[in-house]
Amino acid sequence: MLIPNERRKVAVIGYNRIPFARQNTAYSTASNQDMMVATLNGLIDRYKLHGQRMGEVAGGAVIKHSGDFNLMRESVMSTALDPSTPACDLQQACDTGIEAAVYIGNKIALGQLEVGIAGGVDSTSNVPLLLGENLRKILLEARRAKTTGAKLKAFSKIRFKDLAPVAPLNVEPRTGLSMGGHTEITAKYYGIPREEQDLLALQSHQKTVKAYDEGFFNDMLTPYMGLDRDNNVRKDTSLEKLAKLKPAFDKVNGTLTAGNSTPLTDGASSVLLASEDWARENGWPVLAYITFAELAAIEYVQHQHNLLLSPIYASTRMLKKAGLRLQDFDFYEIHEAFAAQVLATLKIWESAELMKTFGFDAPLGSIDRTKLNVKGSSLAAAHPFAATGGRIIATMAKLLKEKGSGRGFISVCAAGGQGITMIMER
């Protein structure tokens, strides 16, 4: 039993993911459960968890079929874990993977769990197709009908146009704009040049290619469906090639392109978290500790440039609670949903005037860019929504383990005007 207000340390013990695949490529026929099971079984194999009962497995998907209503539990039941392992579905857009780790981590800190797994998965290829509203209403009317005649009368209302399925839209329900559409507004509002966006994208690919060549990802991935590395990574890209791409969202005056924005992606990731005692008893070294996390949200309907900027609030509040400065870190992992979003965040942190518009008295200041996304990030690896958090935590944990000490800062923006930040230490 914990003493009131006592908090145990939350250790990152391990990680695993499958390579990420661009939409409608290698994983076009794989379901969320297929990918999550492959990822979990890879974790189980690597850390010899066969037949073990975990305290809990938590995670989820942003895009789910109706049959995915109990996705994580059903995934666990298809793995080599003890089937008495409970599981929980969480969903918080692109924050899902990080929030799942916070959920498991908090239970470990409170002594409710000794070990748990946080995960996330998404398919943008194998998506649910919805019925049109008129067809849905007719089918429900037929279902309620008591006689064959009444059912046939309902079915007679169906028109050919009603049979067209509706795919889920990647837009904000309150604005009708896509995430890229909002970020195009952000880029214009904060004056983020196309050249800077393309340079950040190029660097992301170059760093990821180098990390693969050096073998950094060798113990982090389980090959799946013919892939042994992320298939969005471009070894041959260049500033010249990126500059030739046409704007993707504002076709006339836009600066966001397919090259400096993340593509729709399929994939899954997982992270093994535990108490120090469990790690010691099972012979696994601690890679790093999760010490702080902060969730925030921002108004983005009236101020449409704000959609992906809630990490401004989360980072400032978290650093105050931790008693740290933004400069007190050895590594920074900022999710690259769009190059413009990363660059806008950095610009706001550095500016006293801009930070005042968010209600803060002082800027956080600049960071050493050589410490930012040192193994590449989402622009190269790509972004299966719920799986990105696990990829980022794993990368940070390995970086801290290899260094032997230090602190890592994580920031992830998300749809719905939300965002989350995290501190990891060793």
Side-chain angles (χ1 to χ4, degrees):
M1 179 68 69
L2 288 179
I3 300 170
N5 299 321
E6 182 182 347
R7 187 179 69 173
R8 299 194 304 177
K9 296 174 77 171
V10 178
V12 179
I13 304 302
Y15 39 66
N16 187 60
R17 68 179 178 95
I18 56 174
F20 293 168
R22 290 174 67 98
Q23 183 186 54
N24 296 325
T25 59
Y27 304 160
S28 60
T29 60
S31 68
N32 283 333
Q33 186 173 324
D34 292 336
M35 292 188 289
M36 195 72 248
V37 169
T39 296
L40 290 173
N41 273 333
L43 185 79
I44 293 163
D45 290 342
R46 182 169 295 129
Y47 297 97
K48 300 177 177 61
L49 304 175
H50 303 83
Q52 291 199 39
R53 178 175 60 83
M54 299 288 100
E56 189 170 2
V57 177
V62 176
I63 302 174
K64 297 173 73 173
H65 290 259
S66 59
D68 288 339
F69 69 96
N70 210 8
L71 174 62
M72 298 307 289
R73 172 60 177 160
E74 290 300 322
S75 296
V76 165
M77 292 288 287
S78 296
T79 70
L81 289 175
D82 185 327
S84 66
T85 297
C88 170
D89 278 22
L90 301 174
Q91 197 266 69
Q92 197 175 76
C94 308
D95 290 344
T96 299
I98 300 282
E99 185 67 7
V102 172
Y103 171 88
I104 293 293
N106 284 343
K107 287 194 171 187
I108 291 170
L110 292 173
Q112 297 173 354
L113 299 179
E114 292 299 325
V115 59
I117 298 171
V121 59
D122 260 298
S123 173
T124 59
S125 300
N126 189 357
V127 296
L129 295 178
L130 309 177
L131 299 175
E133 185 62 16
N134 192 50
L135 179 59
R136 187 185 72 85
K137 289 180 178 179
I138 291 171
L139 293 178
L140 287 174
E141 179 184 344
R143 184 182 182 188
R144 291 190 297 266
K146 303 298 184 183
T147 66
T148 301
K151 290 181 185 294
L152 293 174
K153 183 178 179 181
F155 288 137
S156 70
K157 298 177 184 178
I158 296 174
R159 300 294 179 263
F160 184 76
K161 65 180 181 179
D162 295 329
L163 301 178
V166 180
L169 297 175
N170 186 26
V171 299
E172 293 294 329
R174 293 181 179 274
T175 65
L177 292 173
S178 68
M179 195 177 291
H182 274 277
T183 307
E184 187 68 73
I185 297 170
T186 303
K188 291 182 174 70
Y189 188 90
Y190 288 104
I192 308 300
R194 164 77 180 267
E195 295 75 18
E196 290 186 22
Q197 297 176 49
D198 286 349
L199 178 59
L200 185 70
L202 175 64
Q203 291 170 340
S204 185
H205 283 275
Q206 290 175 334
K207 292 173 184 176
T208 304
V209 168
K210 183 180 179 183
Y212 269 113
D213 289 346
E214 294 173 344
F216 181 82
F217 298 118
N218 286 354
D219 69 342
M220 306 177 79
L221 294 164
T222 295
Y224 184 61
M225 295 187 76
L227 288 186
D228 61 3
R229 61 173 54 195
D230 309 307
N231 72 2
N232 185 63
V233 181
R234 295 290 178 266
K235 193 170 189 174
D236 61 348
T237 193
S238 65
L239 284 178
E240 292 72 25
K241 290 181 178 180
L242 290 168
K244 292 178 181 179
L245 297 175
K246 295 180 180 180
F249 302 99
D250 178 347
K251 306 292 186 182
V252 178
N253 299 308
T255 58
L256 272 70
T257 71
N260 58 40
S261 309
T262 51
L264 294 173
T265 316
D266 308 332
S269 68
S270 61
V271 181
L272 181 63
L273 305 174
S275 67
E276 290 182 294
D277 288 343
W278 189 93
R280 189 182 307 110
E281 290 167 3
N282 287 271
W284 292 110
V286 173
L287 307 178
Y289 298 97
I290 296 173
T291 54
F292 288 89
E294 187 78 16
L295 180 67
I298 193 169
E299 196 288 317
Y300 66 93
V301 178
Q302 298 301 317
H303 303 87
Q304 294 184 346
H305 59 280
N306 275 347
L307 180 72
L308 300 182
L309 297 180
S310 63
I312 301 297
Y313 289 116
S315 58
T316 308
R317 295 167 186 164
M318 180 181 71
L319 290 169
K320 183 177 180 179
K321 291 176 182 177
L324 294 170
R325 302 174 305 144
L326 184 59
Q327 294 72 33
D328 294 337
F329 295 88
D330 300 278
F331 303 104
Y332 302 85
E333 286 287 324
I334 302 179
H335 163 46
E336 299 168 342
F338 303 89
Q341 160 263 322
V342 176
L343 294 167
T345 298
L346 295 174
K347 185 173 185 176
I348 294 164
W349 280 341
E350 294 170 0
S351 168
E353 182 180 352
L354 292 176
M355 286 294 284
K356 282 183 180 179
T357 66
F358 287 81
F360 298 112
D361 295 332
L364 295 182
S366 61
I367 66 170
D368 182 346
R369 296 281 186 99
T370 65
K371 300 177 179 179
L372 173 63
N373 296 344
V374 297
K375 300 300 180 182
S377 190
S378 307
L379 286 168
H383 174 40
F385 305 123
T388 289
R391 178 190 65 77
I392 288 175
I393 289 175
T395 298
M396 184 64 78
K398 184 165 184 177
L399 287 171
L400 291 170
K401 173 65 165 57
E402 289 186 344
K403 184 177 184 299
S405 64
R407 295 192 187 98
F409 177 97
I410 290 171
S411 174
V412 178
C413 61
Q418 299 194 96
I420 194 165
T421 55
M422 176 180 281
I423 294 173
M424 293 176 62
E425 302 184 52
R426 179 177 170 82

